[in-house]
Amino acid sequence: MGDLVTISSNLLYASFFFYLIATFFFGGTIRNEKTGNRGKASTIGISLTIAGFITQLGYFFTRWVASQHAPVSNLFEFTTFFGMMLVMAFIIIYFIYRLDVIGLFALPIALLIIAYASMFPREISPLVPSLKSHWLYIHVTTAAVGEAILAISFVAGLIFLIRQIDQTKSSKHTFWLEFVIYSIFSTLGFIIMTTTFGAMDYQAQFQAPVEEQIVNVEYEMPAIAGPNGGELQTEGAMQPVFEAPGWMRGQDAARKFNTLIWSLLSGLVLYGIVRLLLRKRVAAALQPKLKKFNPDLIDEVSYRAVSIGFPVFTLGAIIFAMIWAQEAWNRFWGWDPKEVWALITWLFYAFFLHLRLSRGWHGTKSAWLAVGGFAIIMFNLIAVNLVIAGLHSYA
Amino acid sequence: MKKIKCECGHVNPEGTVLCEACGKPIEGNQHIDGNKKDSLLNMRYEGSARRSQTYNRSIVDKVWNFFSSVKVGVWLIIITLVASSLGTIFPQEMYIPPGANPVTFYEDQYGLAGKIYYQLGFHNLYSSLWFMMMIALIGVSLVICSIDRVVPLHRALKKQKPKRHHTFLKRQRIFGETKANVDMDAFKSNLHKNRYKVREQEGHILAEKGRFSRWGPYVNHIGLIIFLLGALLRFLPSMYIDDFVWIREGETEVVPSTGGKYYVKNEDFILENYDPQEDKRFQEALMNQNVPVASNYQTNAVIYERTNNDVVGAEPELKVLSREKIVVNEPAKFGGFALYQSSFQLDEFSSMSFTLHETGDESAVLGKFTVDLTAPKMEYKLDSGARVVIDEYFPEYYMDGNQPRSKSKFPKNPAFVFYVYPPDGGEPEVSFAGIGMNIDPTNENDYKLNLAGFDTRDVTGLAVKKDYTLPFMGVGGLIFMIGVIQGMYWNHRRIWLQPTEDGVWIAGHTNKNWYGLKRDIEKSIQDTGIEMPEDQQQLKG
């Protein structure tokens, strides 16, 4: 049994490298001055992507066999699956539109998502009684597929914005576009910091009052923000720079806040280095490389992804969710935070689709909406699980 | 109503923007769809006469126009969306710890922000009147929006003729001229091959496919309306019941809200945890977690149906209906009702036994008695002639200041104030006894009560549900999915061809996926001599 788990995680590593190499090949297609998409680099890129996808399917099913339940039951498994579905959605869109540039942006985002997933506990975890149902994989997988297709609309929207936004002067558009790019750097920062301190086996223990009791709080990163009223117990560990504000409740709140600070700071450093090297906005540096792509087509891919993804999302994240909630919790809707945020996502994309009916909501505005939709999906995946606790909290 | 007669002979209703038959822009109405001279035509609703764009005189018109606006609909969605997100900042009242007082809970836990949250009523946001009003307004908007558009749209699509006015073609997004002889038969057969329906009129061609996808939005709106109506039906008690029953092991209770028709017996409640030794799969995770993880909550239950009438005083005669293993995700269902494994209480005390001794001499037992905690007797007579009278009983004892009280009527931490009457019939002594305590308030007692043993049993909590609105929700959801797939996964594509003096004009329109339409046109004009039309609305890069 243990062997199967090892095979499974090796397959996941392998798929990660397939995607990584595929990204470079898609990068190679950009240099090609000709607009023709059927270049060699493109063929190799998509072949490697498919190989990676099949390898990751191998991870998924071997893990399924090993754990005897669909591996979508905790944050690591779900997020990894989401990354895999993002790749699948890209493959589908690739064969409709044959646009290499989508791969150049979609694959790095899938890589980041899979790497991000690996920062969470990776052991096979037991299912609590409410998760023991066929609906676990019916609901969770369909919802993930829907969200992944919607994420492609973000990828296309991002490409559109980088290509289209006027970089000759600074504006709200250039600021927020840089902000989106900075957020991506912060995710990378989080992964680098977690991995580095994990490899160093860094630990700092605090004793801090939580709910009127003194408890042990363990940090795995040096404390910039220590627990409120906490005392450092570990010798040689860094003294916190400041204390987390008192209104952050719960045993893990300060630790999570500290991780967030590390992610944002390291993101800032990474972004700063890149910005210094480029000597201009990151988007401005990317823009010339994207000029050969037809913005109309990119805009259409973004809209198309929403129109394909929205029904799947509705089915998986709303309808199947309701059916299961009815079976497990005897109410199909309970205003649990995760449910509310799924509804918000749904309303947001309904809003997007209705706005496309009006004139003037194509192009840039529509691309910004696609970015906003992805932000909501990520909020539901990350913040609702880690910050707003509810019935769906896995981590 | 003023009818508008077009030069093609077709009579259009008042407010028409583009003639239903030939598509010629009707003079004086172009502002309605925002069409500018010579710019591309707004094809959103085929330029049909929509009530909301035509009349604006009476109150009815104004209300109609308000609700039929997409802009208003979009604002309703945005407000609902933002409001929903506000409700997740802090937990809703139903998710705060049981027994917590919401008046103080929010302020204690979240400070000033929590207090404001509570005072604004956000702790019960989703059942608040104004939130429900928003949902209702969205419902009204759905109905009016749909009717306003679907009727004229249907008419316009039915009346359209293959022969179109030349300006209609010219002002389509996809348009091209070919000045050469073309092979019409090849064109038509290509269109057929691409699954287009081809109609012809005096050499003009209209090729169309996927018209049914235009009805997708209206179908999905109908689904949503049925769903919302289903949600409304829940306010009728006959449609929706939500109740709860606690049952101790070995006991039989009437299922509440069934009018005494059904009874349920709890034969056994089972709680199972994962065992890291036995289940190697989860060993690592369980070791890391350090707290037991439940694998199963189960009630072995017997469901009974009452066979005699529910008359006051008459003992119910029960017939076994079924034996059920009720576990999470697998409710027991009978007669429209469902019982869900919803809660439990482990090891509730069922009985306590005491022995009486002389103080300081525990060897001689002056009698033993057992208190049934669900039905304690007032007085227990012991063999030695001593009597024990229960003065006070605290099922779930706690100290409130210096005053003993009970948190609930469930025997979770039972304690008693006893009067002990000595065997010789003297004055009674006061004794206070419970789990792990035995207090002699005067310190002068001659007799002492010792806890000799106790029995426990589990209690299961079952949710009782009857929900006749589920079929409505199901049908609504199904229709919504059909509509949304119909509208999203198919497109309505049309290609027009018009003969000119020295060649042909070709134009195309689709409601979405222009890339697909262009590919269709590319395939259809192969080997026909027709030139590929241009997209007149490329975004400028």
Side-chain angles (χ1 to χ4, degrees):
Chain A
M1 199 67 92
D3 283 340
L4 210 50
V5 178
T6 318
I7 293 170
S8 174
S9 57
N10 285 340
L11 284 173
L12 184 61
Y13 283 125
S15 68
F16 189 88
F17 283 104
F18 273 120
Y19 298 150
L20 193 64
I21 300 164
T23 308
F24 288 115
F25 277 96
F26 282 122
T29 63
I30 293 286
R31 292 198 190 161
N32 193 349
E33 280 306 311
K34 284 169 275 170
T35 340
N37 276 325
R38 307 284 151 83
K40 226 179 217 164
S42 171
T43 315
I44 299 173
I46 191 68
S47 308
L48 285 172
T49 310
I50 293 171
F53 179 70
I54 292 169
T55 317
Q56 203 178 353
L57 276 179
Y59 141 81
F60 184 76
F61 286 108
T62 45
R63 192 173 168 99
W64 191 329
V65 172
S67 66
Q68 291 164 34
H69 62 249
V72 286
S73 68
N74 61 27
L75 206 50
F76 161 69
E77 291 175 340
F78 176 78
T79 313
T80 310
F81 183 76
F82 175 61
M84 178 162 89
M85 290 302 104
L86 184 60
V87 174
M88 186 185 80
F90 158 65
I91 295 172
I92 293 170
I93 293 287
Y94 180 86
F95 283 106
I96 301 177
Y97 292 99
R98 303 268 173 185
L99 275 170
D100 300 313
V101 67
I102 304 282
L104 181 58
F105 283 80
L107 287 181
I109 289 177
L111 283 168
L112 272 181
I113 288 172
I114 295 169
Y116 173 81
S118 316
M119 301 300 116
F120 294 96
R122 272 172 287 175
E123 319 82 73
I124 290 172
S125 48
L127 292 182
V128 295
S130 62
L131 289 182
K132 285 185 167 176
S133 165
H134 291 306
W135 289 103
L136 170 66
Y137 45 89
I138 301 173
H139 153 62
V140 180
T141 55
T142 324
V145 173
E147 288 182 351
I149 302 172
L150 292 172
I152 291 291
S153 113
F154 156 73
V155 171
L158 186 63
I159 296 169
F160 184 93
L161 291 172
I162 294 174
R163 187 196 183 287
Q164 286 300 88
I165 281 173
D166 180 9
Q167 292 287 356
T168 55
K169 56 179 192 292
S170 103
S171 62
K172 265 190 297 185
H173 287 286
T174 57
F175 173 79
W176 286 109
L177 188 55
E178 291 305 294
F179 181 80
V180 171
I181 293 169
Y182 163 66
S183 311
I184 296 172
F185 275 113
S186 294
T187 314
L188 186 61
F190 168 76
I191 294 162
I192 293 173
M193 287 301 130
T194 313
T195 316
T196 311
F197 290 122
M200 287 164 59
D201 211 10
Y202 185 91
Q203 273 189 339
Q205 223 179 41
F206 289 90
Q207 287 199 331
V210 173
E211 310 282 331
E212 288 153 32
Q213 278 186 334
I214 300 287
V215 294
N216 281 329
V217 181
E218 269 188 52
Y219 275 53
E220 278 151 4
M221 288 185 186
I224 297 173
N228 193 274
E231 293 232 1
L232 188 62
Q233 304 292 310
T234 313
E235 273 184 42
M238 190 180 103
Q239 279 290 346
V241 180
F242 62 93
E243 284 186 357
W247 50 263
M248 288 188 174
R249 305 267 161 175
Q251 186 169 356
D252 294 330
R255 183 178 56 79
K256 287 173 181 169
F257 178 57
N258 186 56
T259 308
L260 180 69
I261 293 175
W262 271 106
S263 311
L264 294 179
L265 281 182
S266 55
L268 205 60
V269 170
L270 287 173
Y271 178 82
I273 293 171
V274 172
R275 188 88 190 244
L276 272 177
L277 290 174
L278 294 171
R279 300 192 171 278
K280 53 179 140 184
R281 284 181 214 110
V282 179
L286 290 170
Q287 193 168 51
K289 312 245 185 269
L290 303 181
K291 272 295 172 196
K292 67 173 179 175
F293 297 103
N294 176 357
D296 240 356
L297 191 56
I298 305 281
D299 177 61
E300 181 154 327
V301 171
S302 179
Y303 179 43
R304 193 82 193 281
V306 176
S307 60
I308 297 174
F310 184 73
V312 181
F313 179 82
T314 311
L315 191 66
I318 309 281
I319 294 182
F320 287 162
M322 285 189 192
I323 298 174
W324 189 13
Q326 180 69 32
E327 286 298 300
W329 297 319
N330 67 64
R331 86 287 182 292
F332 61 86
W333 194 262
W335 300 107
D336 170 66
K338 193 91 178 179
E339 290 174 348
V340 177
W341 278 94
L343 176 69
I344 290 172
T345 313
W346 187 81
L347 285 174
F348 185 86
Y349 282 102
F351 165 77
F352 178 102
L353 291 168
H354 282 95
L355 276 182
R356 283 294 290 210
L357 297 178
S358 328
R359 277 189 168 181
W361 277 93
H362 294 231
T364 309
K365 282 185 186 170
S366 168
W368 277 120
L369 286 179
V371 171
F374 186 68
I376 294 177
I377 291 176
M378 285 296 109
F379 184 86
N380 201 3
L381 177 61
I382 298 167
V384 173
N385 276 344
L386 299 181
V387 183
I388 310 174
L391 295 168
H392 278 78
S393 292
Y394 308 117
Chain B
M1 265 209 284
K2 289 175 288 177
K3 299 274 184 193
I4 304 161
K5 191 167 180 188
C6 178
E7 66 176 44
C8 71
H10 181 73
V11 180
N12 292 292
E14 185 184 357
T16 305
V17 182
L18 304 174
C19 170
E20 292 169 334
C22 76
K24 182 184 183 236
I26 288 162
E27 233 169 281
N29 280 351
Q30 292 312 299
H31 62 280
I32 295 175
D33 275 353
N35 290 330
K36 304 224 168 56
K37 204 166 168 47
D38 297 329
S39 67
L40 297 184
L41 292 172
N42 181 354
M43 289 287 289
R44 181 53 55 200
Y45 304 106
E46 303 288 310
S48 59
R50 288 151 52 200
R51 190 190 194 288
S52 61
Q53 304 298 315
T54 311
Y55 307 105
N56 194 14
R57 269 157 272 170
S58 65
I59 284 284
V60 178
D61 294 341
K62 294 207 157 65
V63 171
W64 183 274
N65 296 353
F66 178 78
F67 281 111
S68 66
S69 150
V70 171
K71 206 179 254 173
V72 170
V74 159
W75 273 109
L76 290 174
I77 294 177
I78 278 290
I79 294 170
T80 312
L81 185 159
V82 172
S84 305
S85 66
L86 290 177
T88 62
I89 297 176
F90 301 130
Q92 290 289 297
E93 191 179 3
M94 59 195 150
Y95 291 119
I96 68 174
N101 181 1
V103 182
T104 52
F105 175 82
Y106 287 95
E107 193 177 355
D108 291 349
Q109 286 289 308
Y110 309 106
L112 182 65
K115 190 179 176 185
I116 295 169
Y117 192 81
Y118 175 77
Q119 283 174 345
L120 289 177
F122 285 174
H123 65 297
N124 250 332
L125 181 90
Y126 307 111
S127 49
S128 68
L129 191 64
W130 69 273
F131 190 80
M132 293 216 235
M133 280 295 292
M134 286 307 301
I135 307 273
L137 287 176
I138 289 180
V140 173
S141 162
L142 279 174
V143 174
I144 294 184
C145 245
S146 305
I147 296 174
D148 188 61
R149 285 161 175 79
V150 72
V151 175
L153 179 65
H154 183 254
R155 218 182 111 93
L157 288 175
K158 224 172 85 181
K159 303 276 181 195
Q160 64 172 336
K161 296 241 166 71
K163 187 179 173 183
R164 297 248 115 183
H165 196 265
H166 60 91
T167 51
F168 177 85
L169 256 65
K170 224 178 188 168
R171 291 172 69 184
Q172 290 300 315
R173 179 171 159 183
I174 307 280
F175 174 73
E177 291 178 68
T178 306
K179 288 182 177 160
N181 267 338
V182 300
D183 185 346
M184 295 289 268
D185 290 328
F187 181 58
K188 276 186 277 179
S189 93
N190 282 344
L191 286 169
H192 279 298
K193 253 183 260 163
N194 284 310
R195 279 172 283 117
Y196 276 84
K197 270 190 207 138
V198 182
R199 282 162 62 197
E200 239 184 311
Q201 181 191 5
E202 301 166 32
H204 297 239
I205 291 175
L206 163 62
E208 187 176 9
K209 83 171 168 192
R211 190 198 284 186
F212 82 105
S213 84
R214 290 295 281 274
W215 315 125
Y218 310 104
V219 173
N220 82 47
H221 285 179
I222 291 172
L224 280 179
I225 290 159
I226 295 175
F227 187 91
L228 290 177
L229 287 177
L232 214 59
L233 281 177
R234 321 199 111 213
F235 292 100
L236 293 179
S238 57
M239 298 297 284
Y240 180 67
I241 282 167
D242 176 8
D243 216 323
F244 194 88
V245 59
W246 286 105
I247 317 162
R248 298 185 169 104
E249 275 172 337
E251 290 190 354
T252 303
E253 297 280 348
V254 62
V255 181
S257 302
T258 62
K261 192 172 175 205
Y262 296 102
Y263 284 72
V264 57
K265 181 178 181 193
N266 174 5
E267 298 215 302
D268 193 11
F269 174 78
I270 301 164
L271 164 68
E272 287 166 311
N273 288 328
Y274 286 100
D275 179 356
Q277 299 315 318
E278 203 172 289
D279 223 333
K280 297 284 183 223
R281 276 181 296 165
F282 306 132
Q283 200 167 31
E284 202 185 338
L286 290 168
M287 293 302 193
N288 287 347
Q289 215 148 357
N290 235 343
V291 283
V293 177
S295 68
N296 188 28
Y297 306 121
Q298 175 177 331
T299 304
N300 292 345
V302 186
I303 314 284
Y304 299 97
E305 188 176 355
R306 184 179 183 135
T307 49
N308 60 341
N309 284 335
D310 190 5
V311 185
V312 180
E315 276 293 303
E317 289 163 22
L318 300 178
K319 183 187 84 182
V320 174
L321 207 59
S322 62
R323 292 178 182 277
E324 305 274 354
K325 287 190 167 66
I326 305 175
V327 301
V328 181
N329 275 310
E330 287 170 38
K333 293 181 179 169
F334 54 91
F337 290 90
L339 291 177
Y340 289 83
Q341 182 64 53
S342 191
S343 192
F344 62 87
Q345 181 74 55
L346 285 186
D347 302 327
E348 187 190 85
F349 293 95
S350 58
S351 68
M352 287 169 89
S353 304
F354 295 93
T355 47
L356 187 69
H357 311 272
E358 277 181 42
T359 308
D361 175 19
E362 312 238 325
S363 56
V365 175
L366 296 174
K368 184 176 175 183
F369 64 99
T370 300
V371 183
D372 179 352
L373 293 168
T374 49
K377 284 196 277 186
M378 283 297 292
E379 187 182 306
Y380 295 86
K381 287 198 171 100
L382 306 185
D383 299 339
S384 59
R387 287 186 302 135
V388 178
V389 171
I390 296 179
D391 177 47
E392 276 186 280
Y393 167 38
F394 307 100
E396 193 180 359
Y397 153 83
Y398 75 108
M399 283 304 284
D400 183 12
N402 53 4
Q403 201 61 27
R405 288 187 198 282
S406 184
K407 269 186 200 158
S408 72
K409 58 188 168 90
F410 304 109
K412 292 176 187 167
N413 183 23
F416 298 90
V417 175
F418 291 113
Y419 286 145
V420 180
Y421 290 86
D424 51 22
E427 281 296 297
E429 297 174 357
V430 178
S431 210
F432 187 76
I435 301 295
M437 75 192 162
N438 197 333
I439 297 164
D440 170 2
T442 57
N443 262 331
E444 290 170 1
N445 283 355
D446 297 329
Y447 298 95
K448 189 180 175 198
L449 281 167
N450 273 355
L451 182 62
F454 55 81
D455 281 321
T456 63
R457 57 185 164 186
D458 302 333
V459 191
T460 187
L462 301 176
V464 183
K465 287 274 173 153
K466 185 179 85 169
D467 196 344
Y468 287 141
T469 70
L470 289 179
F472 287 88
M473 312 302 237
V475 168
L478 185 71
I479 293 177
F480 176 82
M481 279 314 295
I482 291 172
V484 99
I485 287 172
Q486 182 180 346
M488 294 292 177
Y489 292 178
W490 276 271
N491 336 114
H492 179 213
R493 299 175 188 172
R494 275 171 295 175
I495 301 168
W496 293 276
L497 188 100
Q498 187 163 95
T500 58
E501 278 167 18
D502 51 358
V504 290
W505 282 5
I506 186 168
H509 181 263
T510 179
N511 59 338
K512 48 177 72 82
N513 189 4
W514 291 85
Y515 177 78
L517 174 71
K518 284 181 211 169
R519 292 222 306 197
D520 275 1
I521 295 178
E522 250 169 52
K523 283 190 236 160
S524 309
I525 59 176
Q526 250 172 23
D527 308 318
T528 62
I530 302 171
E531 285 167 33
M532 185 63 195
E534 270 180 42
D535 188 339
Q536 308 196 66
Q537 195 202 296
Q538 289 283 1
L539 290 164
K540 279 146 206 95

